[in-house]
């Protein structure tokens, strides 16, 4: 089985990438801030040292030569120092020839002090400070990445536990799954799964009931035919035995036919072919004896996106049920939409029984007609409605949703 991508791996990678980028951006801003602060700090050192040297009357021994590798001191007696930059004329900080210079003078005594630091030295000091900061922050970054990985792993542990619990379930276990420790974002998964298992359970139970009812319906005519056949073999059968066997076999054939029709209805019949309802209706009415009265509403063509076999199966069952369970002639009326309505008189106690194998006590049918009609209508997009008014049963089939232009 092909393995999919790892949620934990993807989360860890993205979080690590995000944390790393954030760390780099933070370090870049820190370096910019540190560079500015170091520049101001070194300028302050130049200024303060120049004040000390000036206060001692030009004695450079008061300054640190490692911090100020070059200087110039101008006194009335002359100039001393090895400054490589041109002599400055104004007090304050200056940059000249790769040096950062600070000049401070005392005009009353004729003394001027110039202290300088090379830009290269200042850059080396700055890089050394930044390198130390990076070395200190690398363990912090590693710790943060480890915490991210462990946090993601811990957050996904309930989901992995849930997956293992599903993998250990029996194939016939359709009970709801428990997901008490799942995070809120994953709760829809067990909810949807429980709904799915519930529907499967309903289908399995429906299949069991169907098998039970089908076996019962098949067993009854088989038992009747077998009993009559045994009597005939023993020579104790009466004159009605052959007819009873024929009726039993006929009922058995009808049951098998209905079961096959139900199987086709549940499997679904493709709708790509399309059909003309007027043609299908005329064919189904011609097969029924006595033939129902048909009012086509002056419609010559009524094209719908429904396979002709599906339409014939559904309409044929409606007409057959009306003829079998009604007390008078069946009438079919087709109107624009197209909408088909089939009606016939019924007894006062009559009613539509929608369940599979549900039928009235005195019915000789199988109890599958309404189930076949409903399933085909649901799969084909036909709107069904059933009603009994003033002793007349009506079945309305609205094909408007699947109508095609003529």
């Amino acid at each position: 089985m092909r393995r999919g991508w790892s949620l934990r791996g993807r989360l860890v990678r993205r979080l690590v990438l995000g944390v790393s980028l954030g760390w780099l951006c933070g370090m870049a801003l820190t370096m910019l801030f540190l560079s500015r602060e170091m520049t101001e700090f070194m300028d302050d050192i130049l200024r303060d040292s120049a004040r000390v040297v000036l206060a001692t009357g030009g004695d450079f021994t008061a300054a640190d030569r490692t911090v100020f590798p070059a200087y110039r001191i101008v006194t009335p007696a002359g100039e001393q120092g090895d400054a490589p930059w041109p002599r400055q004329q104004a007090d304050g900080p200056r940059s000249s020839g790769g040096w950062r210079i600070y000049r401070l003078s005392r005009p009353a005594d004729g003394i001027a002090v110039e202290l300088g630091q090379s830009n290269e030295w200042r850059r080396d000091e700055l890089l050394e400070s930044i390198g130390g900061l990076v070395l200190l922050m690398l363990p912090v970054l590693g710790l943060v990445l480890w915490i991210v990985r462990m946090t993601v792993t811990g957050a996904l542990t309930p989901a992995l536990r849930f997956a293992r619990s599903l993998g250990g379930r029996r194939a016939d276990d359709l009970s709801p799954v428990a997901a008490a420790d799942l995070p809120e974002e994953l709760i829809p998964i067990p909810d949807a799964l429980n709904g799915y298992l519930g529907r499967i359970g309903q289908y399995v139970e429906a299949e069991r009931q169907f098998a039970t009812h089908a076996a019962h319906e098949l067993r009854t005519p088989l038992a009747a035919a077998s009993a009559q056949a045994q009597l005939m073999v023993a020579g104790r059968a009466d004159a009605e035995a052959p007819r009873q066997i024929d009726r039993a076999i006929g009922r058995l054939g009808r049951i098998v036919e209905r079961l096959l029709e139900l199987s086709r209805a549940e499997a679904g019949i493709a709708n790509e072919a399309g059909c003309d309802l007027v043609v299908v209706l005329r064919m189904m009415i011609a097969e029924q004896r006595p033939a129902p009265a048909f009012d086509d509403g002056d419609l010559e063509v009524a094209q719908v996106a429904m396979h002709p076999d599906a339409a014939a199966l559904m309409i044929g069952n409606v007409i057959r049920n009306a003829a079998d369970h009604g007390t008078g002639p069946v009438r079919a009326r087709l109107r624009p939409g197209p909408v088909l309505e089939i009606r016939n008189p019924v007894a006062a106690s009559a009613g539509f029984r929608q369940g599979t194998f549900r039928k009235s006590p005195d019915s000789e049918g199988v109890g599958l007609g309404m189930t076949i009609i409903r399933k085909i209508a649901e799969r084909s997009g036909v709107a069904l409605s059933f009603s009994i008014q003033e002793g007349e049963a009506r079945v309305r089939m609205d094909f408007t949703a699947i109508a095609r232009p003529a």
Side-chain angles (χ1 to χ4, degrees), residues 230-276:
Q230 291 175 8
L231 290 174
M232 290 177 68
V233 171
R236 291 184 292 141
D238 56 20
E240 290 294 321
R243 283 190 291 271
Q244 290 179 2
I245 292 176
D246 182 67
R247 283 197 298 269
I249 293 176
R251 176 171 172 75
L252 183 62
R254 289 193 298 273
I255 293 174
V256 173
E257 182 182 359
R258 291 296 182 275
L259 290 174
L260 292 175
E261 290 179 354
L262 179 60
S263 175
R264 293 187 65 193
E266 290 181 336
I269 304 175
N271 294 335
E272 289 80 1
C275 69
D276 183 357

Side-chain angles (χ1 to χ4, degrees), residues 335-347:
R335 290 292 179 266
V339 177
L340 174 63
E341 186 177 74
I342 296 177
R343 60 175 67 184
N344 68 309
V346 292

